[in-house]
Every structure is written in C-alpha cells, then in structure tokens.
Amino acid sequence: VTPASLERFLSGRRFVDQRSCVRYVSHPDNGWVLHGGIVQPLDLPLTDYFIESSHNTYLSGNQLTSRSMVDRYKEVLLSGCRCVEIDCWDGTTGEPVCTHGRTLTSRIRFSDIIACVKQYAFVASPYPVILSLENHCSPKQQERMAGHLETILGSQLRLWDADRRCADSPEALKFCV
C-alpha cells in the first residue's frame, strides 16, 4: 500500500466501513509479494509499510480459557506473519511466561517462544520479525527476558534505537528480530 494509492482510495470519502477497508488492504495489488516476487521496493523506513501482525499469537482459541502453544508462533511465522505478540508475566519459578493475564489460559515459557522464533522467523521470508512484547514482568524477570533474547537470538537481535525511530528499511533489516 502506497501513500498515493491510499489517498486515491480515501478521496471524497468521509469514512470507510470495515468491509471496504478489508477489501482495500487485502487486494492483491497492495501486497508487497505477488506470485512469489516482490512488487514494491523495500528500501523505505520500516514505519512506511503495513506489517502483517498476529494478536494473542500464542492462543489456540479464545482468550479466556484456551491453551497457550509455542507451535502457534511456528504456524504464523511460516504463513508470512512479520509481527508476533508475546504477553509476558512473572512465572512462579523465576522464569517469565506467556499467558493471557488473569485468565484461565495456560502458560508457556518465554524462552521456548524465543527459541521457536529463532528457528522459524526466516523460513518464509528474510524480512524482519517484530516482537510485540506486552510486558507485565517484574524488573528481575525482565532481566531474564533480556538475557533470553540476547542468548537465543544472538546477532539476529536488533535493539530499538530511540534516536533513529526505526529509520532502517526492511531491506536493511533482513534476518533481524
């Protein structure tokens, strides 16, 4: 989706209903990959692109009682998703866990999710994967999270530079998390 195509789409409209928005965003002409090839340059800042994202990635069903599963990360990454969500909470053993807080959903270890991301992040695409961390952890368990990110992802880990405001392009961020 380019700014010009979005402007053309919105021209003369006071609002866009959900159906029209979904039709526009999912139209094949607005994808960055078409028939296995890239159809638009990926050299603009990352913030200039729509990014295929997953909300509550870890859940196998509803957000009140379903199972949390590491395999959900594998599934969405292999389908091309480039942004996954991890809801982080203090685990009872001193290790951070992922769960939908204050519900009956099960818990999975944060480190297992990061290992899964490491294994599957770049199978479907070389372009960057964004970890959306919804962090509810204590400072001590946040340190454990940081340690897992650094240890497991190693040189693939790209830390946010607040001064640059993510000026890097998807092309420059290939194979980075």
Side-chain angles (χ1 to χ4, degrees):
V1 177
T2 65
S5 68
L6 187 57
E7 188 174 316
R8 281 193 307 273
F9 176 72
L10 295 174
S11 179
R13 297 176 189 237
R14 292 182 59 187
F15 67 92
V16 177
D17 62 29
Q18 181 179 0
R19 183 176 178 197
S20 296
C21 181
V22 168
R23 188 177 32 207
Y24 176 76
V25 172
S26 62
H27 192 277
D29 289 344
N30 290 326
W32 60 277
V33 174
L34 182 62
H35 307 297
I38 296 181
V39 296
Q40 65 177 275
L42 295 175
D43 56 358
L44 299 173
L46 186 63
T47 53
D48 285 9
Y49 299 90
F50 287 104
I51 299 170
E52 187 172 345
S53 303
S54 173
H55 178 66
N56 290 342
T57 308
Y58 50 92
L59 292 177
S60 61
N62 71 67
Q63 59 186 7
L64 296 176
T65 60
S66 67
R67 285 183 52 207
S68 300
M69 300 173 57
V70 172
D71 277 351
R72 291 286 300 126
Y73 290 89
K74 174 184 174 182
E75 292 168 18
V76 300
L77 289 167
L78 291 177
S79 75
C81 183
R82 306 322 293 155
C83 179
V84 296
E85 180 183 32
I86 308 173
D87 291 353
C88 307
W89 294 82
D90 284 346
T92 56
T93 64
E95 282 294 320
V97 296
C98 174
T99 187
H100 202 270
R102 300 182 186 97
T103 66
L104 301 175
T105 61
S106 60
R107 298 167 180 256
I108 50 179
R109 288 186 304 224
F110 177 79
S111 59
D112 291 344
I113 295 169
I114 302 307
C116 182
V117 169
K118 168 83 172 169
Q119 184 173 357
Y120 295 102
F122 305 109
V123 173
S125 168
Y127 291 100
V129 169
I130 299 167
L131 301 180
S132 173
L133 301 177
E134 186 177 307
N135 190 356
H136 302 276
C137 290
S138 65
K140 186 170 185 143
Q141 290 203 19
Q142 287 180 40
E143 288 178 21
R144 296 288 299 159
M145 289 170 57
H148 290 310
L149 289 166
E150 291 174 340
T151 301
I152 296 168
L153 296 175
S155 64
Q156 290 181 320
L157 182 62
R158 179 67 178 261
L159 300 177
W160 176 263
D161 184 345
D163 294 331
R164 295 195 58 209
R165 299 202 177 252
C166 205
D168 288 328
S169 69
E171 197 64 41
L173 293 169
K174 277 185 174 178
F175 302 104
C176 289
V177 177

